[in-house]
Amino acid sequence: MLYQAKSFEHLKGLRDFSDQLLQNHLALYRGYVKNTNQLATILLNKVKLWKTGTMEYAELKRRFGWEFNGMRLHELYFENLTKRSLSLKKQSPLYEKLRQDFGQFSTWERGFMGVGGMRGIGWVVLTRDPLTGRLFNVWMDEHDAGFLVGSTPLLVLDVFEHAYLQDFGMSRTAYVQAFMKAINWPVVEERFNASNYIPGPVVEVRRRAS
Amino acid sequence: MIVMKEYSPKVFDHISQLPGFSEQSVRTHLVLYEGYVNNTNLLAEMMREWLAVGKSGTIEWAEMKRRFAWEFNGMRLHEYYFENLTATATALDRQSQLYTKIEEDFGPYELWERGFKGTGGMRGIGWVILAYDVQTGRLFNVWLGEHDTGLLVDTRPLLVMDLFEHAFLLDYGLKRKDYEEAFFNVIDWGRVEKRLEACLKDQPIVVGEKRRRRATDFHN
């Protein structure tokens, strides 16, 4: 199997989240892993059998990004949660970058939570554009819609109904607040520190070449 | 801003005691529905106001416009859905026009049901609709990946099933099939038949004479 479902059992007992919700959420996640593997296998077999010109191949291909991202986004989400959450250190490079790009940390936070409050289901992602190093709070309507090409996700918030309905009912604000209190900042910092910033726009290189 | 209430939430008291559905789940669902009604009104009014003061060229106005179908359909689809549910359901009458129509277009009734439920079993959230094509009279089982995506143009919904997580998660957890079974047990077939009747009244298509109808379709 190409992808193995990761274990996030350590999240059981997460503050404000019931184990039942978490269990369902993890079961859903495993579904994405399973289907990513299955789709990848079917797609490759179709290529081997010269069936790329078929409707099925095209439709399975269309679906792949949805399953893959459903898997990956959930992994990023679970990974950036912890039972022992501490606030982001003011001395950290990430804090400094958030302050730089959004004005104040609280402004970033308000923006991120605001995106989480948008009507409809989806994802909220704090992501970094490697070409400018700039951070963005991004809304994704679906697993495969709205992600900024080439950017590196740093913090991921799931706002599909399965992420909160059982525990928070219609109070999405309460859920987003609970999420903010459960962020595993060291993981987010690690992602930030590992994210590549390619200084200088690509355009310049091209101009010189021509 | 004074919001003109063009749409008001309909009352769906008849589903408060729905077999297979908890009161909490139904209540939650109705609250969500009212959100769509409120936001449809709000958006419509905001767009009108912005237009009146010459701000239709703004990015905000464009985004409101883009969002409108999502709110409107979120309202309307829920209304169709709640309306085609009943606490006192009976099976679809085999002598009905609807039954005949379904067998005409899908073969045996069971095949249609399998297709409709199969569409509901697709991965991801959305809606399943049995839709009537106004131009040919043909029925289709349609998948909507969102309120505003996938509906066939110039078709009318006859039967609507909600497959957003709020529709089943509270009562059935991840067992979507169980929810679909429960849904099928509470379909108000009388209502669905009335919807078909209304379609046929607007554009009469002879039900039960498949060949003749098909032949004319191709000549149109």
Side-chain angles (χ1 to χ4, degrees), chain A residues 20 23-25 27-28 31-32 35 63 66-67 119-121 139 141-142 160-163 165-166 169-170, chain B residues 24 28-29 31-32 35-37 39 67 70-71 123-125 143 145-146 164-167 169-170 173-174:
Chain A
Q20 205 217 330
Q23 216 163 10
N24 280 344
H25 208 163
L28 276 171
Y32 287 106
N35 279 274
R63 178 66 25 186
W66 188 83
E67 295 285 3
R119 286 177 58 69
I121 51 99
W139 170 257
D141 263 322
E142 251 297 358
F160 272 67
E161 289 170 323
H162 62 246
L165 204 70
Q166 275 173 299
M170 302 281 93
Chain B
Q24 200 216 332
T28 302
H29 211 158
V31 170
L32 272 169
Y36 288 106
V37 181
N39 279 276
R67 178 67 23 186
W70 188 83
E71 296 286 3
R123 287 175 59 69
I125 51 97
W143 172 255
E146 249 297 357
F164 273 67
E165 291 170 321
H166 61 246
L169 205 73
L170 293 175
L174 302 186

Side-chain angles (χ1 to χ4, degrees), chain B residues 72-116:
Chain B
F72 183 94
N73 291 4
M75 167 183 77
R76 189 54 53 83
L77 286 164
H78 274 111
E79 287 167 355
Y80 274 108
Y81 172 73
F82 295 137
E83 263 173 26
N84 60 220
L85 297 178
T86 176
T88 51
T90 48
L92 175 58
D93 181 5
R94 283 173 180 251
Q95 266 72 52
S96 64
Q97 271 191 318
L98 178 62
Y99 194 92
T100 312
K101 188 85 185 71
I102 285 176
E103 296 225 310
E104 261 180 26
D105 288 351
F106 295 91
Y109 171 88
E110 288 69 30
L111 210 56
W112 165 76
E113 192 175 310
R114 201 193 306 157
F116 191 89

Side-chain angles (χ1 to χ4, degrees), chain B residues 137-149:
Chain B
R138 177 82 164 76
L139 300 182
F140 293 95
N141 289 329
V142 179
W143 172 255
L144 271 67
E146 249 297 357
H147 310 326
D148 54 350
T149 45

Side-chain angles (χ1 to χ4, degrees), chain B residues 15-16 18-28 170-172:
Chain B
I15 54 163
S16 58
L18 203 59
F21 292 77
S22 69
E23 280 181 52
Q24 200 216 332
S25 171
V26 173
R27 209 169 30 234
T28 302
L170 293 175
D171 290 338
Y172 296 96

